[in-house]
Amino acid sequence: MSELRQNIITRDWVIIATERAQRPDQFAVAKRELESPPPHQSNCPFCVGNEEDNTVETCRLSDNHHNWKVRAITNKFPALSPTQTGVRISDGIHRTISGIGYHEVIVEHPRHDLTTALLSFQDLANILLVYRQRYSEIRKDPRIETIIIFKNHGESAGTSLEHPHSQIAATPVVPYQFRTRIDEAIRYFDDTGKCLFCRTLEDELAAKERIIVESEYFVAFIPYAALSPFHTWIFPRRHSSSFDDINDEEIADLAIVLKTVMAKIYYGLNNPDYNYTIRSVPTGELGTKYFHWYIAIVPRVSRQAGFELGSGMYINTSLPEESAKFLRSVAYQKRVQSSYVP
Amino acid sequence: MSELRQNIITRDWVIIATERAQRPDQFAVAKRELESPPPHQSNCPFCVGNEEDNTVETCRLSDNHHNWKVRAITNKFPALSPTQTGVRISDGIHRTISGIGYHEVIVEHPRHDLTTALLSFQDLANILLVYRQRYSEIRKDPRIETIIIFKNHGESAGTSLEHPHSQIAATPVVPYQFRTRIDEAIRYFDDTGKCLFCRTLEDELAAKERIIVESEYFVAFIPYAALSPFHTWIFPRRHSSSFDDINDEEIADLAIVLKTVMAKIYYGLNNPDYNYTIRSVPTGELGTKYFHWYIAIVPRVSRQAGFELGSGMYINTSLPEESAKFLRSVAYQKRVQSSYVP
């Protein structure tokens, strides 16, 4: 029979629908007929040679030969922009703020045909370094309250651009969802004197059955009340509220954990579309004891339907324990990508 | 330039991304190559003749000749079931409840090939009558806290079944999202002595520019901070916290408004996939002054991507005022469907 589990961090109730449960491998997407894309595509705005396209480069990581490895650029169609003037209008029940903020693209690699699962550990470390650098820079703008790093991979995850890229968005407000989660984390901290995320991590490490992979500094697991199949969290073991507090050693370690999880998803579920996001505390609350930054990975192997829209609850047709066991068992190519640059 | 608007009912901030704005008609889905389905399909579990498929019929509306017009049946693969024993376990940080509840399908019409936009006013009134009857019945079970009526139309809205149907789900918990919205509505009520929803309706009626259609008892509009393009709300003018409080005259009127909105979306956007949901106050709070039931319609013409997942904020690439103006202008077939029964 089905059961409801409460996700203690998001506070959402999830129906683990065992009546409709599928075996982990049944979530694998059908083999794609598409040929793999070429390593370079002349009309791709992110490919080498097409850098001058009216975007502004905000960060570049280069090798000794001045070829770039990772670039951060302004989004060509930004949802938010730092050049706007800050206006906040309260008119009756309407609240409006001008679209101040940042919206940048991180071009993850010169090669067009790679994806997180196929990049080398060093490639991933480079991307994380650029995330940290842009995060630290953007945080300095006092108009910014929240910074979100995210990646869309594939059409059902919201992108039609193949070239490996992620995004960073910075908003002049704290999103309501952040506020409610922070409120709950504070309540837990006040009740117990502990960080809710540290406590969750302890619990997952003791239970073991939902762990995918762990390293010196990070633990990847499918939460007890995962909102969707293979919904994965990567938590730093060290309590820290904001991603940009990560040090170089932790970046090298996280690169290995992230690559491992993404490769297991890629080979085990046949390259599904996915999103990942990095969540941190709002910029003004750095150093807080009650919030803990983390990465959430959401393979797009199921859909939100009317029930989810109408209730904010979730129906998950997989068992987190079985999904984690399956991912633990997936073997993948550890071979590091050649550093071929087109 | 883009602007952020706060949805005062959901409290979500929405980026109205005018830089990427599309004209309303650009959201129309590409013409579908599919033939329209036949009025009867022998292998469809909801078609006439296939009623005996191990589901239990919980409600039937029939004509004088004992042909059915609308049926409610138990879901063949229920996410929740009333026959479970109620168990609530709190184990450390884990909270689990057995999957008690209801999960039924409303087969909306004998014909396989129709959809909300193509049904007659009377057909829709019949469906609403069955919604009300099942809602009132299920409410009597003291284990139920929340009842959600919803419809999934099309693959991207979460269904592959063509036969027109909707669902009713009843849960043994109040979803966290309901709790936070109720808390905000209470706070508004305590501050002003007014229902936040009544106040929103007043505001929309005064502004006029986001109204799609209004009738004696209902108003359909695109909210000021619509979370996605063509996200539409239908509010009853009469303050009432729960859908099952609707009377017969209001049902006849709502049928016309719902049909009108769905037909405008169908013809204006070329039959997009969509969800609609009916939200009411939790079952134990009937009669409350601070909550107001309503219908939310979400055409699936855009996708949630990593930004939405990582922040709970939304990027809407349409202007609610323009979308409403467009829908107002859409002409549609008012011709009532023949009541042909296969």
Side-chain angles (χ1 to χ4, degrees):
Chain A
M1 302 305 280
S2 67
E3 66 178 28
L4 280 74
R5 296 182 179 186
Q6 188 174 33
N7 188 310
I8 194 168
I9 287 170
T10 71
R11 301 286 295 184
D12 294 313
W13 284 98
V14 180
I15 301 175
I16 305 288
T18 46
E19 291 282 308
R20 335 170 142 193
Q22 300 177 58
R23 288 195 322 272
D25 59 341
Q26 290 178 307
F27 288 99
V29 299
K31 276 274 175 232
R32 303 187 183 212
E33 297 294 337
L34 300 168
E35 303 162 39
S36 63
H40 183 271
Q41 202 159 62
S42 57
N43 63 351
C44 167
F46 301 153
C47 270
V48 173
N50 299 338
E51 288 86 354
E52 306 308 325
D53 64 343
N54 295 323
T55 58
V56 177
E57 186 173 275
T58 55
C59 180
R60 173 185 286 229
L61 216 69
S62 298
D63 62 20
N64 294 333
H65 306 286
H66 306 295
N67 294 317
W68 59 267
K69 295 193 282 189
V70 183
R71 299 169 73 222
I73 57 176
T74 54
N75 193 306
K76 207 163 180 178
F77 303 100
L80 299 164
S81 158
T83 59
Q84 293 221 40
T85 320
V87 182
R88 189 184 259 263
I89 301 168
S90 240
D91 176 18
I93 57 171
H94 295 164
R95 285 183 206 147
T96 311
I97 303 178
S98 55
I100 280 182
Y102 294 81
H103 190 182
E104 300 186 1
V105 173
I106 287 88
V107 184
E108 299 178 348
H109 199 278
R111 288 254 312 251
H112 184 85
D113 57 335
L114 299 181
T115 177
T116 313
L118 302 176
L119 294 174
S120 71
F121 296 150
Q122 187 55 54
D123 290 335
L124 276 177
N126 291 341
I127 296 164
L128 295 170
L129 278 168
V130 171
Y131 287 172
R132 184 179 65 182
Q133 184 162 335
R134 290 309 301 147
Y135 198 113
S136 313
E137 269 304 303
I138 293 170
R139 138 183 320 283
K140 291 177 189 159
D141 186 331
R143 302 170 302 174
I144 295 307
E145 299 294 342
T146 309
I147 303 173
I148 302 124
I149 295 166
F150 61 98
K151 179 173 170 78
N152 304 336
H153 171 76
E155 294 235 12
S156 63
T159 186
S160 48
L161 283 168
E162 276 173 344
H163 198 116
H165 68 287
S166 35
Q167 298 179 62
I168 186 162
T171 66
V173 291
V174 177
Y176 183 63
Q177 191 208 65
F178 273 52
R179 272 282 175 251
T180 56
R181 292 195 188 176
I182 289 169
D183 284 350
E184 297 295 343
I186 290 175
R187 182 190 294 228
Y188 186 86
F189 183 81
D190 287 347
D191 283 352
T192 65
K194 281 188 177 177
C195 162
L196 175 60
F197 300 80
C198 290
R199 176 71 182 81
T200 299
L201 190 52
E202 267 173 34
D203 186 80
E204 292 295 350
L205 286 167
K208 289 193 179 70
E209 57 184 346
R210 287 176 295 274
I211 305 285
I212 300 169
V213 59
E214 50 176 311
S215 68
E216 188 174 354
Y217 297 110
F218 292 90
V219 181
F221 62 98
I222 297 185
Y224 173 72
L227 307 185
S228 59
F230 297 95
H231 183 187
T232 299
W233 281 349
I234 302 177
F235 276 24
R237 291 183 193 259
R238 174 168 75 83
H239 178 82
S240 169
S241 66
S242 189
F243 169 74
D244 60 334
D245 179 47
I246 194 171
N247 64 38
D248 291 352
E249 204 173 319
E250 288 165 337
I251 278 189
D253 187 65
L254 177 57
I256 296 171
V257 172
L258 184 58
K259 149 91 184 181
T260 304
V261 171
M262 296 313 299
K264 282 172 175 280
I265 289 173
Y266 182 91
Y267 290 106
L269 301 176
N270 197 21
N271 189 18
D273 294 346
Y274 67 85
N275 301 101
Y276 71 63
T277 74
I278 305 182
R279 284 178 178 265
S280 297
V281 83
T283 56
E285 301 180 52
L286 188 64
T288 182
K289 290 179 183 175
Y290 58 75
F291 198 87
H292 199 112
W293 75 267
Y294 66 100
I295 300 180
I297 302 163
V298 184
R300 293 296 196 121
V301 293
S302 68
R303 285 187 194 283
Q304 282 201 2
F307 178 73
E308 284 81 359
L309 288 178
S311 68
M313 284 174 67
Y314 294 83
I315 298 177
N316 183 342
T317 56
S318 71
L319 205 59
E321 295 73 21
E322 279 182 12
S323 304
K325 187 178 170 191
F326 171 76
L327 286 185
R328 280 197 303 272
S329 76
V330 172
Y332 67 95
Q333 309 276 9
K334 294 201 180 180
R335 165 175 66 81
V336 168
Q337 276 296 326
S338 71
S339 56
Y340 161 77
V341 176
Chain B
M1 300 306 279
S2 68
E3 67 178 27
L4 279 74
R5 296 181 177 187
Q6 188 174 33
N7 188 309
I8 195 170
I9 287 170
T10 71
R11 302 284 296 182
D12 294 313
W13 285 97
V14 180
I15 301 175
I16 306 288
T18 46
E19 290 283 309
R20 333 168 142 195
Q22 300 176 57
R23 288 195 322 272
D25 59 341
Q26 290 179 306
F27 288 99
V29 298
K31 275 275 176 232
R32 300 186 185 212
E33 298 294 337
L34 300 169
E35 303 162 38
S36 63
H40 183 272
Q41 203 160 62
S42 57
N43 63 351
C44 167
F46 301 153
C47 269
V48 173
N50 299 339
E51 289 85 354
E52 306 308 325
D53 65 342
N54 294 323
T55 58
V56 177
E57 187 174 276
T58 55
C59 182
R60 172 186 286 229
L61 217 68
S62 299
D63 62 20
N64 294 332
H65 306 288
H66 307 294
N67 295 316
W68 59 267
K69 295 192 282 190
V70 183
R71 299 169 72 222
I73 56 176
T74 54
N75 193 307
K76 208 165 181 176
F77 303 100
L80 299 164
S81 160
T83 59
Q84 292 221 43
T85 320
V87 182
R88 190 184 258 263
I89 300 167
S90 240
D91 176 18
I93 57 172
H94 295 164
R95 282 183 208 147
T96 313
I97 303 179
S98 55
I100 281 183
Y102 294 80
H103 190 182
E104 300 185 2
V105 173
I106 286 88
V107 184
E108 299 177 347
H109 200 277
R111 288 251 317 247
H112 184 86
D113 57 334
L114 299 181
T115 177
T116 313
L118 303 176
L119 294 174
S120 71
F121 297 150
Q122 186 55 53
D123 289 336
L124 276 177
N126 291 341
I127 296 164
L128 295 170
L129 278 168
V130 172
Y131 287 171
R132 184 180 64 181
Q133 184 162 335
R134 290 309 300 148
Y135 198 113
S136 312
E137 269 305 300
I138 293 170
R139 142 187 314 285
K140 292 177 187 159
D141 186 331
R143 300 170 304 174
I144 295 307
E145 300 294 342
T146 309
I147 302 173
I148 303 124
I149 295 166
F150 61 98
K151 179 173 171 78
N152 304 334
H153 171 76
E155 293 235 11
S156 64
T159 186
S160 47
L161 283 168
E162 276 173 343
H163 197 115
H165 68 287
S166 35
Q167 297 179 63
I168 184 161
T171 65
V173 292
V174 177
Y176 182 63
Q177 191 208 63
F178 273 52
R179 272 284 174 249
T180 56
R181 292 194 189 175
I182 289 170
D183 285 351
E184 297 295 343
I186 290 176
R187 182 190 295 229
Y188 186 85
F189 183 82
D190 287 347
D191 283 353
T192 65
K194 282 190 176 176
C195 162
L196 175 60
F197 301 80
C198 290
R199 176 72 182 80
T200 299
L201 189 53
E202 267 174 34
D203 186 82
E204 293 295 350
L205 285 167
K208 287 193 180 71
E209 57 185 346
R210 286 175 297 274
I211 306 284
I212 300 168
V213 59
E214 50 175 310
S215 67
E216 187 173 355
Y217 297 111
F218 292 90
V219 181
F221 62 98
I222 297 184
Y224 173 72
L227 307 183
S228 59
F230 297 94
H231 183 185
T232 299
W233 281 348
I234 301 177
F235 277 23
R237 290 183 196 259
R238 173 169 74 83
H239 178 81
S240 168
S241 66
S242 189
F243 168 74
D244 59 335
D245 179 46
I246 193 170
N247 64 38
D248 291 352
E249 203 174 322
E250 289 166 337
I251 279 188
D253 187 67
L254 177 57
I256 296 170
V257 172
L258 184 58
K259 151 90 184 184
T260 304
V261 172
M262 296 313 300
K264 282 172 175 282
I265 290 173
Y266 181 92
Y267 291 106
L269 301 176
N270 196 23
N271 188 18
D273 294 345
Y274 67 85
N275 300 100
Y276 72 64
T277 74
I278 306 182
R279 285 178 178 264
S280 296
V281 83
T283 56
E285 302 180 52
L286 188 64
T288 182
K289 291 181 183 174
Y290 58 75
F291 199 87
H292 199 112
W293 75 267
Y294 66 100
I295 300 180
I297 301 163
V298 184
R300 294 295 198 123
V301 294
S302 68
R303 284 184 193 285
Q304 282 201 1
F307 177 72
E308 284 82 359
L309 288 179
S311 69
M313 285 175 67
Y314 294 82
I315 298 176
N316 183 344
T317 55
S318 71
L319 205 59
E321 294 74 20
E322 280 182 11
S323 304
K325 186 177 172 193
F326 172 75
L327 286 186
R328 280 198 302 272
S329 77
V330 172
Y332 67 95
Q333 309 277 8
K334 293 200 183 180
R335 164 176 65 83
V336 169
Q337 275 298 325
S338 71
S339 58
Y340 161 76
V341 175

